[in-house]
Each structure stands twice: as structure tokens, then as C-alpha cells.
Amino acid sequence: ALIRAYQEDRISRIIQESRKGAASIVCPFCSTHIPIPEGANVGDRFQCEVCHRHVGLREQNNALFGERLAEA
């Protein structure tokens, strides 16, 4: 079952479901949840574990979200 889930690209979805209770932002590129580490600040950069693109932590209207960043 694990091999079939991997081949059908469902593993990241399973991991994403398990993280819903933790603080996270959504990757604006692939919609994967990216956990926000304790002590993170607005403006910090994170790398998505699935698509490996860089995402910035932004705040708007008292809500945190992931912002697309240009690749360096």
C-alpha cells in the first residue's frame, strides 16, 4: 500500500493531512502545508519540502500566508 501511495503521489498529501493541527502556511506553488517553526518571523524564508521552491512568510489582516519568492 505504501509503494502504491508513493507511485500515485499521495505521500505528500498524507503528510499534509497530519500537519493540519500545527501552525503552517500553504505553499503558493503546490499547495503543500509548510510548518512554521516556533520563533519564526514575518519575512523569513522557507523551502517547500515538495516542490523545493522558496516561500516567504507574510502577514496581512492578522493572518499569516506564504508568498511566492523569486528563485535566487
Side-chain angles (χ1 to χ4, degrees), residues 19-69:
R19 292 183 177 167
K20 284 190 175 177
S24 64
I25 55 176
V26 175
C27 176
F29 297 98
C30 71
S31 301
T32 298
H33 285 257
I34 300 171
I36 301 173
E38 192 172 323
N41 297 304
V42 171
D44 287 352
R45 294 172 62 112
F46 302 97
Q47 186 173 20
C48 177
E49 296 173 5
V50 175
C51 71
H52 307 289
R53 293 184 172 164
H54 294 277
V55 178
L57 181 61
R58 297 290 179 247
E59 181 178 16
Q60 184 174 350
N61 300 327
N62 295 320
L64 295 173
F65 67 96
E67 176 182 59
R68 288 179 173 215
L69 297 175

